[in-house]
Amino acid sequence: MSGYLHTEEALRALKARDPETFAEVYRQYFPLLYATAFKYLGDKVQAEEVIQDVFLRIWEKDFQLEHPAALKSYLFRAVINRVMNHFQREKMQRHHHETLQNLQEESYLCNFIEEQELRENIHKAIEALPAQCKRIFKLSRFEGLRNQQIAEQLNLSVKTVENQMTIALRQLRNSLLNDDEYKLTPTARLKILLFLMGGI
Amino acid sequence: MQPTDYSIVLRYLDEPDHAVHKAEFENWLKKSDANKAFYEELRMLWEQSAAAATYEGVDATAATERFAALLHQHYPATVAALPRNKRWWRYSAAAATIAAAALAWWLLRPTQVRYNTFTTTSRIDSLLLSDGSKVILNKHSSLRYPAAFGSRSRQVFLDSGTAFFEVQASAVHPFAVTAGDTKVSVLGTAFNLASGQEEIKLYVLSGEVAFGSNTSTASPIRLKAGSGASFHKKTGQLGMDADVDYNQLAWRTRELYFRDTPMEEVCAVLSEHYQVRVILENDARKTQKLNANFSHKTIDEILETLNALYNYRFEKRGDTIYIR
């Protein structure tokens, strides 16, 4: 994985239409935007087409944004609008209508973006776990298996599974909540925690 | 925080209903505010890491190369060549060759179909079919499938229960699921099929499927993504669902959605998903509406939320929960 572009650089790359850096911005934002489109569309091909469409439009028009900070919310808005258009075209007005309508509001969108970024970072942190630890943690969290079931499936003791789960959670907590490796500012962290604790 | 703190919280998150672990956790939680804050952090990581599964298998590099190719196709003059390396193309060409060889082998091999049975008891399990399609089978369900698919079609049987299908796309080999007297035929899509005592319910998540009945001469209904249909076993009626029940997928996503849902229906949904009996005792509250989303919550957490927000009181007697 190559270097991470700062928002200002990303914005410059989009404006300049240099294929190399343009693709770099695409690669950087793809997982977040794709996960968002997929969440509502439930279709991998359609979700990817939405992202391609958003970036094709940016390429085509004279791209202007006043504040670099607005880039992320601009991209998310563009994706969400296209998802809504898709549902309207397919005569599926009621589909996720309320949630998508809420996301038009800046405060909702902000929380939504933060939550998506957190999930992407958690996924990166899970990928960085040692092999066995990662396997066990994924069986627990992605497949929804209990420790007992994981122990049976992998022919391990429950104690071993618990130990590996502890290692995984400690590493996730250290890298996501204690370091700034993933560029989560303390305020962002606090906001996420408050948002998640308040939400039902 | 010490490893024991992690263990206490982990054991509780893993099995919130386990009496010993729960008591141990509650004692520990009461000890200090630091413990409470620590628990909130771990709970957040626990819940959000389940949601992080969306990022599993997302290949940004391959996607970027597809986009670069698209850009080149639209603007061959401006974007002269692929800006990224061409690794992806090489891989896909190799994959296409292998796929063609596999297809030829598959078409030419003798067709003697033997069926395997895949049955679940107390837990959800998944199965990868020989064509790469994925089946996630709910508890107490049974699926019959060939060890390898024949040359004509891909046929499986949902003999009982509920299953979610993610069908590998193939333009030449339709994928068919038979459940009782109904048949779902698809080319490549994801859908949920529940074969119950009284009805067989279908919900399509992506792509398009045809849903038909063996006992009726009427032509199958075509269903697009986001729509559902039901077949009533007694009457033999097959029709589109006017309102899609998003909670059909809850057994797999562990997310429940209530939108202006009358409490009586909420109780029925909770009973089904948590395999307990939830009875609303207060007749006056039966028509009260609930708007809420619950993601990865235990039944106790949901009841506590209902209590805190709407003042519902509940009481557990045996495996029945009474709500007032």
Side-chain angles (χ1 to χ4, degrees), chain A:
Chain A
M1 202 168 172
S2 44
Y4 180 94
L5 290 175
H6 288 291
T7 318
E8 288 86 356
E9 291 175 89
L11 196 58
R12 226 176 298 131
L14 292 181
K15 278 183 188 161
R17 278 183 256 186
D18 162 49
E20 190 91 19
T21 34
F22 200 89
E24 193 49 44
V25 180
Y26 187 90
R27 196 190 58 71
Q28 190 171 312
Y29 286 100
F30 181 80
L32 272 178
L33 300 172
Y34 172 79
T36 302
F38 182 75
K39 179 180 172 143
Y40 297 110
L41 293 169
D43 186 294
K44 289 176 184 170
V45 176
Q46 283 173 0
E48 184 163 343
E49 276 171 4
V50 163
I51 318 306
Q52 290 178 341
D53 199 34
V54 166
F55 278 85
L56 263 183
R57 286 297 302 279
I58 294 177
W59 181 273
E60 279 162 6
K61 69 181 186 185
D62 202 12
F63 187 63
Q64 290 296 340
L65 260 191
E66 292 202 359
H67 298 289
L71 177 63
K72 216 177 282 166
S73 62
Y74 172 88
L75 292 173
F76 271 89
R77 265 178 215 285
V79 167
I80 287 158
N81 284 336
R82 269 170 184 74
V83 169
M84 286 181 93
N85 288 344
H86 171 85
F87 286 143
Q88 248 153 33
R89 240 189 351 261
E90 301 289 317
K91 306 257 184 300
M92 288 153 67
Q93 275 95 338
R94 277 168 50 87
H95 223 70
H96 299 297
H97 187 72
E98 206 175 324
T99 330
L100 290 166
Q101 202 74 57
N102 281 341
L103 286 174
Q104 304 289 319
E105 238 175 76
E106 192 64 38
S107 60
Y108 271 94
L109 187 68
C110 251
N111 281 337
F112 179 84
I113 294 175
E114 267 166 17
E115 195 174 26
Q116 286 300 326
E117 284 185 314
L118 176 77
R119 288 172 181 177
E120 191 194 13
N121 287 332
I122 289 179
H123 190 260
K124 282 183 194 164
I126 294 171
E127 287 300 317
L129 293 171
Q132 175 79 330
C133 188
K134 174 161 68 176
R135 190 164 170 217
I136 289 172
F137 193 76
K138 281 185 177 177
L139 282 173
S140 165
R141 305 318 306 129
F142 293 180
E143 307 286 330
L145 296 189
R146 295 246 155 116
N147 290 351
Q148 176 73 44
Q149 296 168 326
I150 298 170
E152 280 163 22
Q153 193 163 331
L154 300 181
N155 218 354
L156 298 167
S157 71
V158 178
K159 193 78 209 146
T160 309
V161 173
E162 276 177 17
N163 288 344
Q164 292 296 321
M165 289 295 292
T166 300
I167 294 171
L169 269 186
R170 189 188 310 136
Q171 192 165 324
L172 290 191
R173 182 167 170 267
N174 285 344
S175 56
L176 290 158
L177 303 178
N178 291 353
D179 287 355
D180 31 32
E181 188 185 337
Y182 291 99
K183 305 192 164 43
L184 273 183
T185 61
T187 356
R189 236 192 78 201
L190 191 67
K191 267 171 82 180
I192 292 165
L193 278 170
L194 288 175
F195 168 63
L196 295 171
M197 284 159 69
I200 50 169

Side-chain angles (χ1 to χ4, degrees), chain B residues 285-302:
Chain B
R285 302 193 87 162
K286 278 188 177 161
T287 50
Q288 275 187 357
K289 305 280 174 66
L290 178 72
N291 279 303
N293 296 345
F294 297 104
S295 174
H296 296 86
K297 292 282 181 279
T298 63
I299 180 84
D300 289 334
E301 284 169 321
I302 292 181

Side-chain angles (χ1 to χ4, degrees), chain B residues 162-197:
Chain B
T162 305
F164 183 84
F165 294 88
E166 242 179 86
V167 178
Q168 196 73 6
S170 161
V172 278
H173 300 285
F175 187 98
V177 187
T178 299
D181 289 331
T182 62
K183 188 171 183 167
V184 183
S185 316
V186 302
L187 292 173
T189 160
F191 62 92
N192 191 70
L193 185 63
S195 181
Q197 295 286 331

Side-chain angles (χ1 to χ4, degrees), chain B residues 249-315:
Chain B
L249 290 174
W251 66 271
R252 199 173 73 85
T253 59
R254 288 187 291 160
E255 287 181 13
L256 287 169
Y257 298 95
F258 296 109
R259 283 287 160 272
D260 287 335
T261 315
M263 270 310 286
E264 198 174 16
E265 205 182 314
V266 172
C267 289
V269 171
L270 293 178
S271 301
E272 196 191 322
H273 288 284
Y274 291 97
Q275 275 146 20
V276 288
R277 263 152 52 95
V278 183
I279 294 170
L280 188 63
E281 283 197 317
N282 187 338
D283 280 347
R285 302 193 87 162
K286 278 188 177 161
T287 50
Q288 275 187 357
K289 305 280 174 66
L290 178 72
N291 279 303
N293 296 345
F294 297 104
S295 174
H296 296 86
K297 292 282 181 279
T298 63
I299 180 84
D300 289 334
E301 284 169 321
I302 292 181
L303 292 172
E304 270 154 30
T305 308
L306 290 177
N307 173 255
L309 291 181
Y310 308 104
N311 213 18
Y312 283 100
R313 280 175 300 130
F314 54 88
E315 189 188 332

